[in-house]
Amino acid sequence: MSEREIIVLDTADALYTRAAEEIAHIAGEAICTHGEFLLCLTGGRTPESTYQLLASRFQLSVDWKEVQFFWGDERCVPPDDPGSNFGMANRALLSHLNLKPGQIHRMRGEDEPGRAAQEYEEGLRRALRLSRDEFPRFDLTLLGLGANCHIASMFPGSPALHEQHRIAATVEVDDKYRNRITLTPPAINNSARVMFLVSGEEKAHAVKTVLEGEDNPEMVPAHIVKPDDGSVIWLLDRAAASQLSNR
Ligand code: 6PG
């Protein structure tokens, strides 16, 4: 059973800062405990400011040479495309950290999606020395929340919601970036911690649906997030939390 913590911050900026603080804290704990920090990044707009804070104000708070970077999903576009989740994280964070190339395990959005998903999965298994039926155990998986309650690139009704064996799958979604690669539910749910970062009034209904509505993973993909042996932290700003009953 996964624990769930909900933290509401007054403003979006306070949310971004708290997220950076939490990530730096979890990184320190993981590196002290097992010598590395396996961090699975999310895409979209919300995390960008947090990534920028990690690269600036918090840069000295993390031993970045011990961090391995992964992604929860990627749009099938080249890294220099404005829609690339890797591209955004690289501009905001990775390019400022003097990392070794082997620390970055990205989904190759520029490649044929099926092959890119396969290669991401095989690369992950090699990097983390996983057997064929083992899933990665990220120390922290970051997730955003779509206004339609999607997480990573698993949208309502997505066949990927039923994937129980693969680590990564290809999906087609109703969005500007139609073709994507996404982590699957078992890969997300093997995380030690999952942290949602959600900001803005436009997400308030989705937040209420996820946190207070009937369990319905098929149409509310965020409901699929129930780490087998891990915790879930929701970082919300007041606008995103505005429809919750007990804010
Ligand atoms: C993506 C993300 C996606 C995102 C949500 C929220 O590739 O788009 O991984 O799951 O987290 O759509 O996006 P915003 O942060 O832009 O609202």
Side-chain angles (χ1 to χ4, degrees):
M1 179 65 189
S2 45
E3 296 156 45
R4 185 176 84 180
E5 185 181 6
I6 300 171
I7 300 171
V8 180
L9 291 307
D10 281 340
T11 65
D13 283 343
L15 162 62
Y16 303 145
T17 303
R18 180 63 181 268
E21 287 167 352
E22 293 289 340
I23 293 166
H25 174 74
I26 296 165
E29 224 180 49
I31 293 167
C32 283
T33 312
H34 59 88
E36 62 181 356
F37 178 42
L38 306 184
L39 174 57
C40 186
L41 297 176
T42 183
R45 289 181 312 277
T46 306
E48 187 165 9
S49 299
T50 292
Y51 296 167
Q52 289 166 341
L53 283 168
L54 287 169
S56 52
R57 200 191 317 172
F58 292 83
Q59 179 160 159
L60 298 180
S61 307
V62 178
D63 186 359
W64 295 106
K65 69 181 184 319
E66 304 303 348
V67 182
Q68 298 289 324
F69 293 90
F70 304 87
W71 274 261
D73 71 329
E74 185 56 279
R75 292 82 176 272
C76 293
V77 294
D80 58 357
D81 184 290
S84 168
N85 288 337
F86 164 76
M88 180 275 280
N90 193 42
R91 284 189 302 277
L93 175 59
L94 307 179
S95 59
H96 304 275
L97 300 179
N98 193 25
L99 301 172
K100 293 193 182 69
Q103 291 180 256
I104 296 173
H105 311 270
R106 70 181 181 92
M107 297 167 165
R108 290 176 55 87
E110 65 273 36
D111 290 351
E112 188 277 322
R115 188 152 58 86
Q118 180 74 28
E119 285 182 359
Y120 182 66
E121 179 160 333
E122 286 169 5
L124 235 153
R125 290 194 190 286
R126 275 195 308 275
L128 302 180
R129 293 178 291 282
L130 303 177
S131 66
R132 294 255 14 112
D133 55 1
E134 241 183 315
F135 288 97
R137 184 160 173 79
F138 298 124
D139 294 297
L140 176 60
T141 295
L142 300 178
L143 290 176
L145 180 69
N148 63 358
C149 301
H150 82 257
I151 53 153
S153 283
M154 290 185 279
F155 281 46
S158 171
L161 290 164
H162 304 284
E163 176 55 55
Q164 290 303 313
H165 305 287
R166 302 288 308 276
I167 290 176
T170 59
V171 290
E172 273 195 54
V173 297
D174 179 16
D175 177 79
K176 173 183 174 189
Y177 297 99
R178 190 166 183 73
N179 291 303
R180 299 178 176 216
I181 300 160
T182 186
L183 272 192
T184 59
I188 291 171
N189 282 326
N190 202 41
S191 303
R193 279 186 181 86
V194 176
M195 183 188 293
F196 281 90
L197 309 180
V198 191
S199 164
E201 192 77 40
E202 72 280 8
K203 301 290 179 74
H205 181 67
V207 166
K208 182 174 181 65
T209 304
V210 174
L211 294 181
E212 297 182 352
E214 286 270 299
D215 193 47
N216 178 10
E218 187 67 25
M219 297 318 291
V220 183
H223 282 161
I224 209 87
V225 178
K226 297 186 182 80
D228 314 317
D229 173 20
S231 59
V232 181
I233 310 165
W234 285 80
L235 292 187
L236 306 168
D237 64 11
R238 203 160 289 292
S242 58
Q243 291 187 23
L244 290 179
S245 323
N246 48 351
R247 269 176 276 163

